[in-house]
Amino acid sequence: MTSKKTPSNNIISNTRNKTKKLSNDFNLFLASKSKTESPYNKIVLFSTFLMLLIGIYFFSVFSDDFEQFNASRMKSTIGLTFIVLATILFAFKASFFIYKAYNYYNYKPVDSVSDKELPTVTVIVPAYNEGKQVWDTLMSLDNSHYPKHKIQIISIDDGSMDDTWDWMQDAKTKLGDRLEIYQQPENQGKRHALYRGFNLGTGDIYITVDSDSIVTEDTLRNLVSPFVKDEQCGAVAGNIRVLNNKKEILPKMLDVSFVMSFEFVRSAESNLNSVLCTPGALAAYRSTAVHKCLPQWINQTFMGQPSDIGEDRAMTNMILKQGKHVLFQQNAVAYTNVPEEYLGLYKMFIRWGRSNVRENLEMAKYVFTNFRAKGKAGTRVLFISQFLKILMSYPLLISMLFFVIVHPLLFLGSTMVSILIASSFSVLFFANQYKSTEGFWAYTYSILFTFGLFWITPYAIATANRRGWLTRGLAEKK
């Protein structure tokens, strides 16, 4: 007599197999020398999961305290108001996540058009104190599968104090007429270097590439193809991965974070024709859209001071304001260097945070107007989500500190459980995209961000008027 497996037995069997595979993959991940070259990395991973387990234990032990804590707050007007607002915020966040997931599911990158259809492009590479890295960037651009008669490559040295100009000259010697190099009389900032490039460019499409980024052979043609397919397309964001992620911990964590930020978040935004930020590392703009806002962009100020940060977000904002579509190309990949130490990381995040505050305020001026013929609702939902992060940063900070003081162990437990639940999506998403266990770094990154970078947004809001690049050797100006 042949035995038949019931559906419940199949589910249990599949679950066991998946759990066993995940466990085996994680063990291989810890044992792999190629993926975690430093023993310190393994210690950090082990510590991450130890902290998560301790957190789960604390949460289970003090779960009754958690219920009593909420019950006591319900008795006061302030406490009740906080719980109601927190519930509404959670409901919005959950709904917004489902909304993003729906748009991600419906997103599809544009396939590359033929050589005949490809537009003429000007690639602009501003450089400051990059040394040999700018040479590598220029070589990767020249190796692109793009018709040579349709591409103009311009690199501008923004007053570097190292041997960047020497490497640019060496690249010029090798590439000849395929490369134009220029030197600013003094360091004026990335925005001014790009401005010079925009005015020198002859292509129908401007492509901006950071001087510490490497592109693949098909990156450029994939990046500009949406302009051919969509006449309303004003800008396209590239897909950014981390270049220096082979050894150090922070780049490994940021690589997982970038995959979520670009391949999930920007894919969803692209389906709404409203990517909010085209990255400086790799982006493309229709030249007519750029020149329409170029005077405003180069002369942009915030609280009476010239804007010398957030040039990518500002350009994106101004093109969205024109009613143009801003898209994302998952198949247009660039690999860029990121900070390897905490000092460089938090400075980079502060710069991004200040730019986010400034540009959200600018976006608020037009997003609820008739800035686009159709498809405005999605853009507005994206803006509301962004603005809520800013609006709620101080209340959340205060409530977090209050929670720490009142019941530190319960705070640790509930926070770790939240990280485990939320970050598991990042782990699974990364594994699905790249069939890799590197996604486990999402847990470590979430712990770092929660306990080591929680202050970034409140600080960025309080210091939004400050200038300075922070990570390129330029002094911060008040």
Side-chain angles (χ1 to χ4, degrees), residues 427-455:
V427 174
L428 295 173
F429 183 82
F430 192 93
N432 181 65
Q433 293 292 94
Y434 294 101
K435 312 303 178 188
S436 169
T437 51
E438 287 284 297
F440 283 115
W441 287 106
Y443 295 119
T444 312
Y445 178 73
S446 293
I447 292 173
L448 171 66
F449 197 91
T450 302
F451 295 98
L453 297 168
F454 67 91
W455 55 274

Side-chain angles (χ1 to χ4, degrees), residues 323-342:
K324 299 293 184 182
H325 297 167
V326 180
L327 307 178
F328 165 69
Q329 276 291 79
Q330 183 181 340
N331 54 10
V333 183
Y335 295 85
T336 193
N337 285 315
V338 297
E340 296 182 351
E341 298 178 355
Y342 178 77

Side-chain angles (χ1 to χ4, degrees), residues 305-422:
Q305 297 288 332
S307 294
D308 56 1
I309 59 172
E311 70 293 326
D312 47 3
R313 179 75 192 275
M315 180 64 74
T316 309
N317 223 356
M318 291 178 186
I319 290 177
L320 277 172
K321 187 179 180 180
Q322 295 175 28
K324 299 293 184 182
H325 297 167
V326 180
L327 307 178
F328 165 69
Q329 276 291 79
Q330 183 181 340
N331 54 10
V333 183
Y335 295 85
T336 193
N337 285 315
V338 297
E340 296 182 351
E341 298 178 355
Y342 178 77
L343 181 65
L345 180 68
Y346 84 69
K347 286 184 176 181
M348 180 179 75
F349 281 169
I350 288 172
R351 188 177 76 245
W352 290 357
R354 289 171 179 167
S355 173
N356 190 48
V357 171
R358 297 179 182 190
E359 294 307 321
N360 272 297
L361 292 175
E362 287 298 318
M363 195 173 185
K365 297 177 183 178
Y366 73 84
V367 74
F368 293 105
T369 67
N370 192 29
F371 70 97
R372 183 189 285 173
K374 58 181 181 178
K376 296 183 285 289
T379 313
R380 290 167 180 168
V381 171
L382 294 174
F383 165 77
I384 291 170
S385 176
Q386 287 281 316
F387 200 79
L388 275 176
K389 291 179 183 178
I390 297 173
L391 195 64
M392 295 302 297
S393 62
Y394 280 102
L396 288 175
L397 177 63
I398 293 169
S399 63
M400 183 186 78
L401 295 175
F402 175 76
F403 199 179
V404 171
I405 294 171
V406 172
H407 205 317
L409 295 182
L410 180 57
F411 168 78
L412 180 63
S414 58
T415 300
M416 287 300 170
V417 170
S418 300
I419 287 173
L420 179 62
I421 295 171

Side-chain angles (χ1 to χ4, degrees), residues 44-255:
V44 171
L45 279 172
F46 177 79
S47 301
T48 296
F49 284 92
L50 181 62
M51 288 181 69
L52 290 172
L53 289 173
I54 292 173
I56 293 171
Y57 172 74
F58 283 154
F59 185 76
S60 64
V61 170
F62 298 110
S63 57
D64 291 339
D65 290 4
F66 186 74
E67 294 177 4
Q68 292 176 10
F69 182 69
N70 285 332
S72 63
R73 285 194 298 177
M74 289 284 285
K75 295 178 181 178
S76 67
T77 304
I78 296 177
L80 180 61
T81 303
F82 175 82
I83 290 177
V84 170
L85 290 175
T87 303
I88 293 172
L89 183 62
F90 177 79
F92 173 81
K93 287 294 183 181
S95 302
F96 183 66
F97 176 79
I98 295 171
Y99 182 64
K100 284 194 298 184
Y102 170 79
N103 281 283
Y104 163 77
Y105 180 78
N106 287 283
Y107 165 79
K108 184 180 179 181
V110 177
D111 293 330
S112 173
V113 298
S114 65
D115 285 0
K116 184 179 179 180
E117 294 175 291
L118 285 172
T120 57
V121 300
T122 296
V123 184
I124 305 167
V125 184
Y128 179 70
N129 290 348
E130 287 296 349
K132 184 180 180 297
Q133 185 61 58
V134 67
W135 187 92
D136 294 333
T137 298
L138 296 172
M139 292 300 115
S140 74
L141 289 168
D142 186 65
N143 288 332
S144 297
H145 290 161
Y146 208 96
K148 298 300 181 185
H149 65 284
K150 288 188 174 183
I151 185 170
Q152 174 192 27
I153 303 176
I154 297 174
S155 187
I156 300 169
D157 176 20
D158 187 30
S160 297
M161 296 180 288
D162 62 357
D163 58 352
T164 295
W165 180 245
D166 294 334
W167 284 107
M168 289 171 60
Q169 288 179 312
D170 185 75
K172 171 67 176 175
T173 301
K174 286 179 170 57
L175 303 182
D177 293 339
R178 299 196 301 276
L179 173 65
E180 301 173 27
I181 60 173
Y182 300 91
Q183 194 172 28
Q184 298 282 71
E186 60 181 2
N187 177 253
Q188 299 175 352
K190 183 180 179 181
R191 189 178 298 230
H192 284 271
L194 287 172
Y195 179 74
R196 186 174 180 179
F198 288 145
N199 283 305
L200 290 168
T202 59
D204 292 327
I205 306 297
Y206 295 147
I207 299 175
T208 61
V209 180
D210 277 352
S211 53
D212 59 354
S213 299
I214 303 296
V215 300
T216 66
E217 293 176 337
D218 293 325
T219 293
L220 300 187
R221 65 184 303 122
N222 289 337
L223 186 68
V224 302
S225 291
F227 293 102
V228 180
K229 299 291 186 179
D230 182 0
E231 292 183 358
Q232 284 300 308
C233 179
V236 177
N239 187 8
I240 308 304
R241 296 292 305 278
V242 174
L243 181 62
N244 55 326
N245 69 334
K246 300 300 183 291
K247 184 178 180 180
E248 299 299 328
I249 293 173
L250 288 182
K252 287 178 177 291
M253 291 190 287
L254 287 173
D255 191 37

